[in-house]
Amino acid sequence: QGLPKGDKMDWIIQKAVELGVTAVVPVATRRSVARLEGKADKKQERWQRIAAEAAGQCGRGMLPSVERPLSWSQALSCLSGEPALVFYEGGGRPLRELVTPSTRRLSVFVGPEGGFDPEEIDAIRRQGGGVATLGPRILRCETAPLAALTLLMHLSGNME
C-alpha cells in the first residue's frame, strides 16, 4: 500500500486484514505525501496492533504481518518472481483477465493519494507485474484496496 496521509493506513490495514490479506507492506512511492522518518518503528507497532485486533474480531486463525515501510525499489526487489498486480488509475487490464480461481498467492500494489507515477508502473511491468484497472472511476487511496481485495476474493473463489 502506498503510504497515505493521516490515519488512513489504520483503516486500510483493519479492513485489509478482515478481507484476508496475509501481510501489509507500506510503501513510500514517488507521490506519497506521508513521511515516516524517525517514526517508522512506532507506526509499524501501531499498525501491527490494529492488524491483531482486526484478525481477532473477524475470527482469523492467523495473524497477518504489517511489515516495516519500504521504498518503491525495495518493494519491487522483494517480488523476485512472485506474481504481482498493480492497480493503476491510468488504465490496465480488467482483473478477471489477470486472476483465476487457481490464483493462490499474489502481491497487490495500490497507490497513495495521487496514484502511481508512470515510471513506477513501467518498473513493475519490467518485473513481470500485471497492470490492472478497477474501472473508469478514480477511487480514493483508502477505497481502492478494499475494492481490489473484494474482487480478488471473488475471482479466486474465496467468497463462496
Side-chain angles (χ1 to χ4, degrees):
Q1 171 66 50
L3 282 170
K5 295 185 290 187
D7 61 357
K8 293 176 185 175
M9 189 63 129
D10 296 3
W11 196 82
I12 292 168
I13 289 168
Q14 181 185 60
K15 301 308 174 194
V17 167
E18 290 175 18
L19 289 168
V21 300
T22 57
V24 177
V25 182
V27 178
T29 67
R30 186 168 285 170
R31 295 182 180 166
S32 291
V33 174
R35 299 289 174 232
L36 298 180
E37 289 84 10
K39 299 183 275 187
D41 290 337
K42 285 191 180 228
K43 285 285 193 179
Q44 182 187 14
E45 288 173 19
R46 174 181 168 73
W47 292 333
Q48 189 62 62
R49 279 194 312 275
I50 290 168
E53 291 167 5
Q57 182 275 323
C58 66
R60 291 208 45 191
M62 62 88 64
L63 175 60
S65 64
V66 179
E67 303 297 328
R68 185 168 173 72
L70 301 177
S71 69
W72 179 252
S73 60
Q74 289 171 321
L76 289 183
S77 70
C78 290
L79 290 178
S80 63
E82 290 286 327
L85 285 179
V86 61
F87 288 92
Y88 185 45
E89 68 280 358
R93 293 174 54 197
L95 198 51
R96 69 181 171 281
E97 293 178 11
L98 299 167
V99 176
T100 67
S102 64
T103 302
R104 291 289 166 242
R105 184 171 174 85
L106 185 64
S107 293
V108 177
F109 289 81
V110 180
E113 297 92 348
F116 288 109
D117 185 272
E119 289 179 19
E120 292 169 328
I121 299 302
D122 291 341
I124 200 164
R125 277 190 175 120
R126 287 191 302 274
Q127 290 274 334
V131 179
T133 179
L134 288 170
R137 289 169 208 83
I138 295 177
L139 301 177
R140 290 179 175 271
C141 70
E142 65 270 29
T143 306
L146 307 182
L149 290 170
T150 302
L151 287 168
L152 287 168
M153 286 178 64
H154 173 70
L155 291 170
S156 64
N158 284 300
M159 292 192 97
E160 297 174 359

